[in-house]
């Protein structure tokens, strides 16, 4: 039913596209001479006018054929006039404004804007601006991004999440921050992403094969958190964000400050968030034949806190710029106390006396990062260097209990991971002539992983990878662009042996019994190499952009996939690695059509994907010490799907948006032939309406109302040991507005948001707690305030 | 130029129709018919099912642990795990609530962990494992867990609180 409704709705909306367009649109960007976007610039031509947004973008509609003079004014910049001619099509421009205090120098920059480059690249990307982040901010970065079609999350309670792109996650999505790949224990389904979601200006999301540029793991896509724009000369600015929520009694504060003199600049940020147990719209949870009564709807012991600090120091020279980022993310989160993994637990801990404390079981993580980005402009060459060091320290604690032959451990320290990662990337972008842009690059990375605690899941290992790539962006014509390249990678993984600290009883073939310290991992050195690449075309017209791209991506198997041989007691399974695994190879064909006009915008991005050897943890029908054996196995997998998005200005101030996402996956060989792959997101869509007042309401400046309704179909396509998940509909409402506070020039932003308006009880198929039948969070009211200065 | 943009629109429409069509086909054309999506079941709720919740087992005695397993397609293996619950770390999934002894430390607890396979082709099978409770093990609260798998890799589990007494 849902599918039909959505499809009908999509078709009806599509039919509206046949209305002819006689009005043309001028789109583009307003930047200053340092290429920093200028917001609030007034663009006017005859009776038409608009204001540039915070990313510098603007859309001015209503032009007919002919010549127009567009005047661009901003209080901090020199007025500028640009002549634009419309001849049967819309057009776009990039305007560079000179600071008002400098000498008059009327320059109109016609170099390719970032926007234009994104259009011309055959790899389809979604840009997420700081505005989007502020408007849609949820409890964690990935929850905020999950509004983007094709992006979903694995939530671990209310404050932690990890990314899924078109149903693939873990080490099949690369998360890159300031040019360096974020390296933690991504393989764990209860390990959230250790990145502060404040202070991010722009994220580029690539859905599709991206190994060519990003190396191993960028199979499903990339979440690329870009370095913030360099502040303008002689400026000091900052902002404080305040957030309060009633579902988990969260309060959060984040304050950022940045200053630039002539060449030197710094940025700094502090974030603190503290939240209690979250509430679900039920007072009991039924998991198999167990029933957990909840105290006042609280999911006991899911409280958490997070404290982050970041500082960076940068220098802009005449032909180079450099910035060094230091950041530390520290978080501690409780796990639901009634079941640890799948294991039902009872405890003498009085969880219900306080809904803010974090008792056992819990995990804590500290992620420290130093990254340097340096760019050197050398004639036709632009050289980029990225150097990074990361330390990830994760601890998982639970009440010690005996399991199997393991006697009761002495402490709560179940698992400790201590991982250091060094990265170095170098890239040369070279423009030999007007038509070509060549890029050569080198990526190297060294990982050193150490373990501790009484539970064993993955071995200690060292891993070194090196990869080199080259690609060419060729402007065949103004409209048609080609991009293609090749990459070669080599990697070495050295796993270290590991023995149990306790003796197990082993029945020998001759009837005798031995008591031995079992070996859980081997000393092994494994080499991998892979050739990857991509070719694609894009065709850019003023209103429509077409893209097609074929890419081959790869992923080096993880140490746990190769060498684990241990009992995961809480999941009631014995996990066995496979030293013969090959690097995963994935071929993907991506297409993208994007259409923008005055009233409508529309996009469709289908994909077809073929894995030669998809690695997954297959539940076998055999047992080891009464636990089901799960083996890392490779099989061929076929996937297809895509996203559809539509926007329509129904009235001048009322905009309707719709999006749809779907993925179909099938294993075509192996023990789970005909089954899907784990964590397949269901068909889902969002319908939203947005009303923008262009006048003031009381003291609110340009307030905006929005409602979004998420429709999610049943997920009946599962693979053992998953459960089918029923579909659901959830309504979220929000109101946001600017208003004057402290600073008359920079408006403070106020946001009021009501999630799950009807307190609907529903299950998210890809949530960590789905396995034990824990529903998603109930109604949540959040109020946030951003005060710039 | 007008002709051009008309074609674009048409192309977008065609592309979207193909996309939606592919979507509907892939949703409805499910091949669930040849997939086993049913877990096996495991039960002690019949006359010979043993042990029942809160049962007391005597040291030195021999018991037949019996449970019925079924599956829609084909059973594969089963296991029996008996471990102590002296620290009350968990509880069973049977409806009865048993009185537990006070929390205590384990000295020489009974640990029984055995796996068995089921001959091919069966859709129902009665587990029947003879276990002698050793004379020298700690008495007190124990937990008895059965699990069974089918050929596809689905698993069923059930657990029962029991006591081992003198």
């Amino acid at each position: 039913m849902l599918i039909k409704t959505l499809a009908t709705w999509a078709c009806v909306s599509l039919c509206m596209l046949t209305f002819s367009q006689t009005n043309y649109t001028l789109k583009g960007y307003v930047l200053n001479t340092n290429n920093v976007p200028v917001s609030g610039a007034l663009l006017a031509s005859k009776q038409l006018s608009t204001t540039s947004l915070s990313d510098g973008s603007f859309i001015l509609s209503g032009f007919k054929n002919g010549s127009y003079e567009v005047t661009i004014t901003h209080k901090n910049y020199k007025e500028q006039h640009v002549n634009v001619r419309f001849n049967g099509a819309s057009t776009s421009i990039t305007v560079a404004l000179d600071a008002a205090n400098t000498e008059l120098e009327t320059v109109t920059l016609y170099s390719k804007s970032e926007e234009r480059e994104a259009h011309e690249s055959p790899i389809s990307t979604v840009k997420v601006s700081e505005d989007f982040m502020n408007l849609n901010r949820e409890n964690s970065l990935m929850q905020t991004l999950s509004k983007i079609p094709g992006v979903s999350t694995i939530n671990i309670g209310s404050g932690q999440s990890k990314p899924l792109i078109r149903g693939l996650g873990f080490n099949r999505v690369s998360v890159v921050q300031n040019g360096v790949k974020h390296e933690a224990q991504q393989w764990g389904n209860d390990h959230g992403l250790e990145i502060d979601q404040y202070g991010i200006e722009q994220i580029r999301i690539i859905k599709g094969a991206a190994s060519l540029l990003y190396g191993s793991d960028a199979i499903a896509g990339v979440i690329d958190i870009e370095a913030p724009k360099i502040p303008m000369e002689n400026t000091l600015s900052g902002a404080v964000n305040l957030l309060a929520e009633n579902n988990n009694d969260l309060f959060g504060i984040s304050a950022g400050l940045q200053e630039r003199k002539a060449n030197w600049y710094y940025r700094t940020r502090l974030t603190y968030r503290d939240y209690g147990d979250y509430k679900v719209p039920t007072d009991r949870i039924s998991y198999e034949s167990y029933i957990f009564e909840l105290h006042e709807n609280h999911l006991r012991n899911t409280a958490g806190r997070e404290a982050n600090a970041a500082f960076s120091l940068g220098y802009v020279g005449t032909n180079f710029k450099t910035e060094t980022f230091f950041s530390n993310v520290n978080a501690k989160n409780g796990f639901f106390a009634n079941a640890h993994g799948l294991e039902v637990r009872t405890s003498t801990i009085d969880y219900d006396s306080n809904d803010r404390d974090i008792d056992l079981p819990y995990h804590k993580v500290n992620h420290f990062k130093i990254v340097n980005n340096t760019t050197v402009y050398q004639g036709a060459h632009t050289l980029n260097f990225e150097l990074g060091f990361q330390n990830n320290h994760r601890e998982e604690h639970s009440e010690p209990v005996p399991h199997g032959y393991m006697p009761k451990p002495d402490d709560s320290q179940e698992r400790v991971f201590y991982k250091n990662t060094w990265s170095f990337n170098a890239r040369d972008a070279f423009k030999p002539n007007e038509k070509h842009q060549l890029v050569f690059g080198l990526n190297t990375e060294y990982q050193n992983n150490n373990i501790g605690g009484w539970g064993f899941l993955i071995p200690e290992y060292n891993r070194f990878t090196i990869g080199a790539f080259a690609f060419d962006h060729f402007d065949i014509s103004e409209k048609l662009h080609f991009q293609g390249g090749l990459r070669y990678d080599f990697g070495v993984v050295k796993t270290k042996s590991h023995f149990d600290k306790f003796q197990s009883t082993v029945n020998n073939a001759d009837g005798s019994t031995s008591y031995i310290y079992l070996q859980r991992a081997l000393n092994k050195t494994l080499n991998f190499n892979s050739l990857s690449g991509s070719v694609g075309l894009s065709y850019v017209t003023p209103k429509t952009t077409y893209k097609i791209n074929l890419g081959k991506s790869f992923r080096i198997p993880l140490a746990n996939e190769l060498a684990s041989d241990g009992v995961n007691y809480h999941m009631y399974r014995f996990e066995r690695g496979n030293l013969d695994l090959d690097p995963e190879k994935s071929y993907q064909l991506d297409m993208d059509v994007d259409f923008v006009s005055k009233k409508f915008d529309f996009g469709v991005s289908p994909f077809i994907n073929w894995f030669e050897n998809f690695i997954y943890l297959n539940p076998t029908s055999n047992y080891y010490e009464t636990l089901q054996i799960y083996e890392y196995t490779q099989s061929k997998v076929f996937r297809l799907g895509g996203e559809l998005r539509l926007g329509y200005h129904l009235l001048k101030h009322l905009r309707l948006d719709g999006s749809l996402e779907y993925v179909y996956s099938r294993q075509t060989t192996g023990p789970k032939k005909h089954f899907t792959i784990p964590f397949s997101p269901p068909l889902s869509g969002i319908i939203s309406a947005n009303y923008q007042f262009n006048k003031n309401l009381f003291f609110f400046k340009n307030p905006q109302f929005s409602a979004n309704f998420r429709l999610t179909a049943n997920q009946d396509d599962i693979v053992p040991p998953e459960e089918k998940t029923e579909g659901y509909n959830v309504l979220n409402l929000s109101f946001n507005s600017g208003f004057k506070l402290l600073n008359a020039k920079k408006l403070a932003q106020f946001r009021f948001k009501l999630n799950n308006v009807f307190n609907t009880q529903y299950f998210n198929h890809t949530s960590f707690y789905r396995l034990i039948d824990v529903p998603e969070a109930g109604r949540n009211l959040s109020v946030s305030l951003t005060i710039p200065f | 130029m007008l002709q051009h943009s008309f074609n674009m629109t048409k192309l977008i429409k065609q592309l979207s129709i193909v996309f939606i069509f592919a979507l509907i086909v892939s949703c409805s054309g499910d091949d669930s018919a040849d997939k086993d999506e049913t877990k096996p079941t495991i039960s002690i709720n019949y006359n010979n099912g043993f042990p029942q919740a809160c049962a007391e087992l005597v040291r030195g005695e021999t018991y037949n642990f019996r449970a019925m397993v079924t599956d829609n397609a084909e059973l594969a293996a089963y296991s029996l795990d008996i471990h102590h619950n002296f620290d009350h770390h968990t509880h069973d999934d049977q409806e009865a609530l048993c009185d537990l002894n006070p929390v205590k430390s384990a000295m020489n607890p009974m640990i029984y962990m055995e796996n068995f396979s089921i001959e091919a082709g069966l859709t129902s099978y009665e587990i029947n494992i003879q276990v002698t409770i050793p004379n020298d093990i700690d008495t007190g609260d124990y937990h008895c867990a059965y699990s069974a798998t089918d050929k596809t890799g689905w698993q069923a589990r059930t657990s029962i609180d029991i006591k081992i007494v003198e």
Side-chain angles (χ1 to χ4, degrees), chain A residues 14 289-290 344-346 401 405 546 572 593 602 621 623 626 628 662 666 672 674-675 717 723-724, chain B residues 8 12 30-31 35-37 39 81 88-93 113 115 147-150 152-153 155:
Chain A
L14 284 173
S289 38
Y290 294 100
V344 175
R345 293 290 280 265
T346 54
V401 295
Y405 294 113
Y546 304 85
Y572 293 118
V593 179
F602 162 83
S621 44
Y623 282 103
T626 74
Q628 192 180 0
Y662 180 69
R666 274 294 167 273
K672 295 292 180 284
H674 303 309
F675 280 95
D717 201 13
E723 298 277 344
K724 292 186 178 182
Chain B
M8 296 289 159
I12 295 167
D30 209 341
D31 41 7
K35 268 192 315 203
D36 171 25
E37 292 190 329
K39 286 184 186 180
D81 175 300
H88 300 179
H89 71 267
T90 188
H91 58 91
D92 70 13
D93 59 358
M113 293 195 290
N115 318 313
S147 54
T149 53
D150 70 9
T152 312
Q155 180 176 235

Side-chain angles (χ1 to χ4, degrees), chain A residues 105-123:
Chain A
E105 198 184 351
T106 318
V107 182
T108 312
L109 233 124
Y110 278 107
S111 77
K112 282 180 188 174
S113 66
E114 226 180 300
E115 176 82 359
R116 176 77 193 176
E117 274 188 9
H119 276 302
E120 290 180 3
S121 165
I123 294 163

Side-chain angles (χ1 to χ4, degrees), chain A residues 232-244:
Chain A
M232 282 191 285
E233 272 180 60
N234 300 310
T235 56
L236 171 70
S237 65
V240 176
N241 302 70
L242 297 167
L243 175 67

Side-chain angles (χ1 to χ4, degrees), chain A residues 203-252:
Chain A
I203 303 178
R204 231 155 58 95
I205 297 177
I206 299 174
K207 294 181 282 185
S211 274
L212 172 64
L213 276 106
Y214 293 89
S216 174
D217 300 11
I219 283 185
V222 180
I223 311 276
D224 188 350
I225 301 163
E226 298 185 335
K229 297 259 177 348
I230 296 169
M232 282 191 285
E233 272 180 60
N234 300 310
T235 56
L236 171 70
S237 65
V240 176
N241 302 70
L242 297 167
L243 175 67
E245 297 189 359
N246 84 330
N247 180 283
N248 56 358
D249 294 325
L250 173 142
F251 70 87

Side-chain angles (χ1 to χ4, degrees), chain A residues 28-265:
Chain A
Y29 277 80
V30 183
L31 310 170
N32 67 17
T33 44
N34 291 333
N35 273 342
V36 176
V38 175
S39 66
L42 182 74
L43 295 105
S45 183
K46 296 185 178 165
Q47 66 274 58
L48 308 172
S49 73
T50 189
T51 313
S52 64
L53 304 175
S54 69
D55 61 349
S57 70
F58 66 87
I59 298 176
L60 191 54
S61 304
F63 293 99
K64 309 266 187 254
N65 275 339
S67 286
Y68 291 82
E69 184 186 69
V70 181
T71 307
I72 303 109
T73 49
H74 189 284
K75 61 183 184 303
N76 295 341
Y77 295 91
K78 288 281 178 201
E79 185 175 301
Q80 208 174 106
H81 305 273
V82 178
N83 286 313
V84 185
R85 189 173 169 78
F86 291 92
N87 187 12
S90 294
T91 187
S92 59
I93 57 166
T94 299
V95 185
L97 295 179
D98 274 341
N101 55 358
T102 60
E103 284 166 37
L104 179 73
E105 198 184 351
T106 318
V107 182
T108 312
L109 233 124
Y110 278 107
S111 77
K112 282 180 188 174
S113 66
E114 226 180 300
E115 176 82 359
R116 176 77 193 176
E117 274 188 9
H119 276 302
E120 290 180 3
S121 165
I123 294 163
S124 93
T125 55
V126 179
K127 267 194 193 170
V128 182
S129 65
E130 197 173 11
D131 280 353
F132 176 95
M133 299 280 296
N134 284 333
L135 282 176
N136 296 287
R137 197 175 300 282
E138 300 287 344
N139 268 333
S140 61
L141 175 63
M142 287 317 305
Q143 286 168 4
T144 306
L145 298 181
S146 66
K147 242 186 141 181
I148 294 162
V151 179
S152 49
T153 63
I154 294 176
N155 293 332
I156 308 112
S158 67
Q160 298 261 300
S161 63
K162 54 197 296 131
L164 279 181
I165 294 180
R166 290 166 165 171
L168 295 181
F170 302 95
N171 286 64
R172 290 187 190 92
V173 171
S174 269
V175 177
V176 175
Q177 190 179 21
N178 301 328
V180 169
K181 198 169 138 208
H182 184 80
E183 273 296 338
Q185 306 289 348
Q186 299 99 305
W187 52 270
N189 52 6
D190 52 352
H191 302 165
L193 188 61
E194 306 89 343
I195 289 180
D196 186 359
Q197 70 159 323
Y198 289 94
I200 294 174
E201 279 184 10
Q202 184 163 280
I203 303 178
R204 231 155 58 95
I205 297 177
I206 299 174
K207 294 181 282 185
S211 274
L212 172 64
L213 276 106
Y214 293 89
S216 174
D217 300 11
I219 283 185
V222 180
I223 311 276
D224 188 350
I225 301 163
E226 298 185 335
K229 297 259 177 348
I230 296 169
M232 282 191 285
E233 272 180 60
N234 300 310
T235 56
L236 171 70
S237 65
V240 176
N241 302 70
L242 297 167
L243 175 67
E245 297 189 359
N246 84 330
N247 180 283
N248 56 358
D249 294 325
L250 173 142
F251 70 87
I253 179 165
S254 182
L257 185 71
Q258 56 178 20
E259 184 174 14
R260 178 171 165 191
K261 299 293 182 192
N263 301 107
W264 288 97
Y265 64 94

Side-chain angles (χ1 to χ4, degrees), chain A residues 289-356:
Chain A
S289 38
Y290 294 100
I291 288 175
F292 311 132
E293 301 285 346
L294 300 182
H295 175 69
E296 292 173 350
N297 303 95
H298 282 114
L299 202 62
R300 55 180 63 87
N301 202 43
T302 54
R305 60 171 182 261
E306 185 183 327
N308 311 325
F311 177 78
S312 78
L313 187 65
Y315 183 86
V316 190
T318 43
N319 53 8
F320 81 102
K321 58 182 184 184
T322 183
E323 184 168 3
T324 306
F325 304 87
F326 301 83
S327 66
N328 197 72
V329 170
N330 186 290
K332 182 177 177 183
N333 296 80
F335 284 119
F336 180 46
N338 291 69
H340 188 28
L342 300 176
E343 185 186 22
V344 175
R345 293 290 280 265
T346 54
S347 172
T348 51
I349 296 173
D350 182 10
Y351 291 106
D352 297 337
S353 63
N354 185 335
D355 62 18
R356 292 201 84 83

